[in-house]
Structure formats: structure tokens, C-alpha cells
Amino acid sequence: IPLAQVITKLIGLGVMASQNEVIDEDTCILLADDFGKEINIVEAEEEISIEEEMGLNYEDKENQLKPRPPVVTVMGHVDHGKTSLLDVIKHSHVQTSEAGGITQHIGAYTVNVNNKKVTFLDTPGHEAFTSMRLRGAQITDIAILVVAADDGVMPQTIEAISHAKSANVPIIVAINKIDKPSANLDRVKQELLDNGLMPEDWGGDTIMVPVSAKTKEGIDDLLEMVLLEAEMLELKANPNRKAIGTIIEARLDKGKGPMATVLVQKGTLKFGDNVVSGFSSGRIRAMIDDKNKQIKKAGPSMPAVILGLSDVPNAGDLIYAVEDEKTARTIADKNKESSRESRINTNNRVSLENLFDRI
Ligand code: GDP
Ligand code: MG
């Protein structure tokens, strides 16, 4: 069956798929049915990474878990104000004690709201939901869906809703550009309702906050809603173990070598830790936070740039702190070996990324 036909049918089923999309069991059955076919689902063999095989990603006990900040992604249609909103939040909520504020883009940053921390992914929302999720990483706790009050629900708004829903990530809507004379809140709410998001003030359970990235109106309300949602999610992690995190961004710096932004998920990542991520391993010889400040450690939900890796790791891959340098190198070598055996098609990342605008 031609690919275009399959994709068209999937879109008809409400699944915004690209050619390498992973679809769930129910969708498979519906899709096959549409083509007059019946399919048998057999259990897929679970893929276990070398790190998992070695028991590095063990579960923590309930009593070891401590509250952690929420990790938030901003999504929405092009030009609805994602970048503007992230900028306003970044610049108006950095800790006032930090002179200079945030000086560099590292792919994530943490702000203080009423003495509580919130981490924002400063990268395109689609990446957090597509390429990263393809690799099994689910790092976002809450999605802020930006909808321009003068433009309403657009194709990428609907895509964002579908991505957040399939990832089971709660959505908070920021109805942006309310400063514009042509803003129409009720129309936007109606359109969102038509797309499965019922406004709280209409009896539904989706929080919708009118904001303006231009006048900064409503931004504090939005952040408070994020904290409220985070509280209900009871996000927790064990800070007292060897760290596991996800690579948010990575690049080769001419002078400093491979640099990677890690979002810590479990444990505490420390200066001097031996780490491994895919083929890349090394000892952390510097850690920098989102304010370009040298730090010694980063706990759950905190982003940090690390130096000391042998190679540039892949965004979306996990990174593990391990016992010693030899363990790190052995795992990296094994990862190289197993990837040679089953070449992963990295093309699907590119095609998925091209589907959406960049932030
Ligand atoms: P993105 O594509 O979603 O990242 O959107 P941008 O943040 O780049 O914003 C697109 C355009 O809308 C820019 O020209 C912004 O200055 C403008 N814009 C963003 N937020 C607001 C707002 O609250 N009010 C008004 N009037 N313009 C806004
Ligand atoms: Mg943008």
C-alpha cells in the first residue's frame, strides 16, 4: 500500500504521522481495518539497553523519593509566541541574586516562582515529543500550549495537542497576544473545545490562561498554574544515587571539546563523576549552569552543561554516572558494538523534525 495512502488514513484517524512514526496497537488495528485487513498483534521483544542490563536504571524505593521541580515544554503553532513567552519567563524570573542573569542558551533553564523551581526546555517542543520519545525518553512533565488569541487553533496547535495527549502529558493553555485589539478569547476557547480541550471555566479540566508576552500580563498567573499542576502530579525522584539524565543538546566546542546539556532525572550529577552516554564516555571536568556559573552538582530536574566527554553524545540519549572510568569506557564500547550489529535508522529523526517549525 502506498505510503501516502497510509499516512492519509492515519491523519483521518487523528494520528499526525510521518513515515517513521511509531503507532500504538489500537491504531494498528483500526488502520488495518480501514484497508480491509486483519492483523495479529504478537508481543514485541522488549529492547533492553546495556545500561539497563547492568542494572544501572534500577527503581528507587518510595521512601527514597523527594519532590522535584516540574519540567515544562512550550508548544504551539508558528508565530503564536513560543519564543517570546520563553524569553519573557527566562528574563523576568531568574534569581535576582544572580548578577547578569542567563547569558547563554543551553537548551533548558530553571526559574524561581514563589521560591519554587520550574525547569523549561528551551528547545522546540516537537523535539521533546518526537525524536526524544522515539528513543524512549520522556522528560516533559507539563506542556504549555501557546495559542494566539487573534489567530486561534491552527494545524500545529492540533499536532501539539495530539503529541501531548499521546505522551500523556498534561496541557496548560496559554492564550497569548491578548493585548491585540483583534484578540478573541471565547473564539479560541471554542476552537480548543472542538479539539478536545474543555476550558476549566466552562466546566472542563484544561486550565487556560490569557497572557501577553508583549505586556507581560498573565505571565505570573501562568507560572502559578504550572506550579499548581506540578503539585497535583506529585513529581518525585531520588536525589541520593548515581545520576541518570537525558542529553538535551550537545555540540563540539573548538576550545572546550564536546559540550552537552544534561537534564538530570534521577540522582545527583557531580563534578568528577564518570559518565557514559551512547558511544561517549568521560569524567566530568567542569559543570556549568544556565547562568554560565560553575557548579559542583545538579539534582533531579536540573539542567547542567558538562565538559569532559570523549565524543559528542546524541540529544535524547540517556547519560549515566557510573562507578569508575573503566566501567564508563566499557559500556561505551559495548554500545558501539551493539549499534554496529543493528544499525539504527537515524533518518527518522530528521523527517520528524522537519514536520514542525523550530522554536
Ligand atoms: P513562535 O514562532 O511561536 O516562537 O513566535 P514568536 O515568539 O517568534 O512570535 C511571533 C511574533 O508575534 C513576533 O513578531 C512577536 O513579537 C509577536 N508576539 C509574540 N507574543 C506577542 C504578544 O503577546 N502580543 C503581541 N502583540 N505580539 C506578540
Ligand atoms: Mg520561535
Side-chain angles (χ1 to χ4, degrees):
I1 297 167
L3 177 66
Q5 273 184 40
V6 177
I7 287 182
T8 309
K9 278 265 199 275
L10 277 172
I11 290 171
L13 292 170
V15 180
M16 299 301 153
S18 63
Q19 63 173 305
N20 292 301
E21 194 81 20
V22 176
I23 56 175
D24 62 30
E25 201 172 305
D26 292 341
T27 310
C28 284
I29 291 168
L30 283 173
L31 183 67
D33 192 53
D34 265 1
F35 287 110
K37 310 271 180 201
E38 209 177 296
I39 53 169
N40 268 332
I41 304 273
V42 292
E43 284 297 307
E45 195 179 321
E46 192 126 346
E47 219 180 290
I48 294 176
S49 69
I50 283 143
E51 293 87 344
E52 282 170 318
E53 221 174 83
M54 292 177 66
L56 295 177
N57 204 348
Y58 61 89
E59 289 291 319
D60 293 293
K61 291 192 185 75
E62 189 61 37
N63 63 7
Q64 297 172 312
L65 302 177
K66 299 263 164 18
R68 64 168 178 84
V71 178
V72 179
T73 298
V74 173
M75 308 177 85
H77 194 74
V78 63
D79 282 346
H80 279 197
K82 299 180 294 296
T83 303
S84 306
L85 214 57
L86 278 165
D87 279 351
V88 168
I89 294 168
K90 183 166 14 181
H91 291 116
S92 59
H93 283 83
V94 283
Q95 283 153 286
T96 43
S97 59
E98 304 287 348
I102 294 167
T103 53
Q104 62 172 9
H105 170 97
I106 64 165
Y109 60 88
T110 300
V111 296
N112 268 3
V113 184
N114 305 335
N115 286 320
K116 286 185 183 134
K117 288 189 164 71
V118 179
T119 295
F120 282 85
L121 293 178
D122 204 2
T123 39
H126 68 266
E127 241 172 69
F129 280 91
T130 52
S131 65
M132 288 199 183
R133 234 163 60 79
L134 269 185
R135 292 145 176 269
Q138 176 59 65
I139 53 176
T140 305
D141 300 307
I142 296 167
I144 293 182
L145 177 67
V146 182
V147 189
D150 59 338
D151 205 21
V153 169
M154 297 301 275
Q156 289 163 350
T157 316
I158 298 171
E159 275 163 21
I161 293 172
S162 129
H163 280 301
K165 281 198 168 166
S166 67
N168 241 331
V169 172
I171 296 171
I172 294 176
V173 177
I175 306 182
N176 191 31
K177 306 197 187 186
I178 52 160
D179 58 283
K180 285 197 161 186
S182 50
N184 187 339
L185 279 181
D186 278 343
R187 201 197 87 198
V188 176
K189 283 183 185 171
Q190 182 59 50
E191 288 172 0
L192 286 163
L193 176 61
D194 295 341
N195 284 281
L197 297 180
M198 162 104 75
E200 216 182 19
D201 48 335
W202 291 5
D205 55 13
T206 305
I207 299 165
M208 300 188 183
V209 188
V211 300
S212 166
K214 191 177 173 188
T215 67
K216 301 192 169 78
E217 191 185 338
I219 305 292
D220 286 345
D221 296 337
L222 178 66
L223 294 172
E224 269 161 36
M225 289 304 154
V226 168
L227 282 179
L228 201 69
E229 182 69 44
E231 228 164 83
M232 292 197 296
L233 293 171
E234 292 185 37
L235 307 166
K236 285 176 185 173
N238 176 9
N240 302 309
R241 61 176 280 168
K242 288 222 176 327
I244 301 177
T246 295
I247 306 289
I248 301 296
E249 276 188 12
R251 64 185 179 90
L252 189 63
D253 182 272
K254 269 190 201 136
K256 300 188 181 101
M259 292 178 80
T261 302
V262 177
L263 179 75
V264 178
Q265 282 158 299
K266 296 176 176 180
T268 298
L269 192 63
K270 299 186 182 105
F271 172 84
D273 271 353
N274 288 291
V275 292
V276 56
S277 179
F279 308 169
S280 178
S281 67
R283 188 156 187 264
I284 300 181
R285 57 177 168 79
M287 274 176 94
I288 303 154
D289 71 6
D290 52 7
K291 287 142 204 105
N292 213 1
K293 207 179 77 184
Q294 296 264 358
I295 49 172
K296 289 274 178 250
K297 58 184 186 182
S301 300
M302 298 306 286
V305 175
I306 60 166
L307 300 185
L309 290 168
S310 59
D311 302 87
V312 178
N314 287 317
D317 276 359
L318 288 174
I319 181 166
Y320 292 83
V322 295
E323 208 57 55
D324 48 37
E325 209 169 332
K326 187 163 166 276
T327 310
R329 213 163 337 117
T330 308
I331 295 173
D333 287 345
K334 281 189 183 171
N335 281 334
K336 255 180 227 167
E337 198 55 44
S338 80
S339 104
R340 229 173 270 135
E341 282 163 19
S342 63
R343 282 234 173 268
I344 302 158
N345 178 10
T346 48
N347 287 340
N348 47 9
R349 289 183 59 218
V350 177
S351 65
L352 283 167
E353 275 163 23
N354 293 345
L355 249 171
F356 305 95
D357 77 306
R358 305 194 71 89
I359 232 171

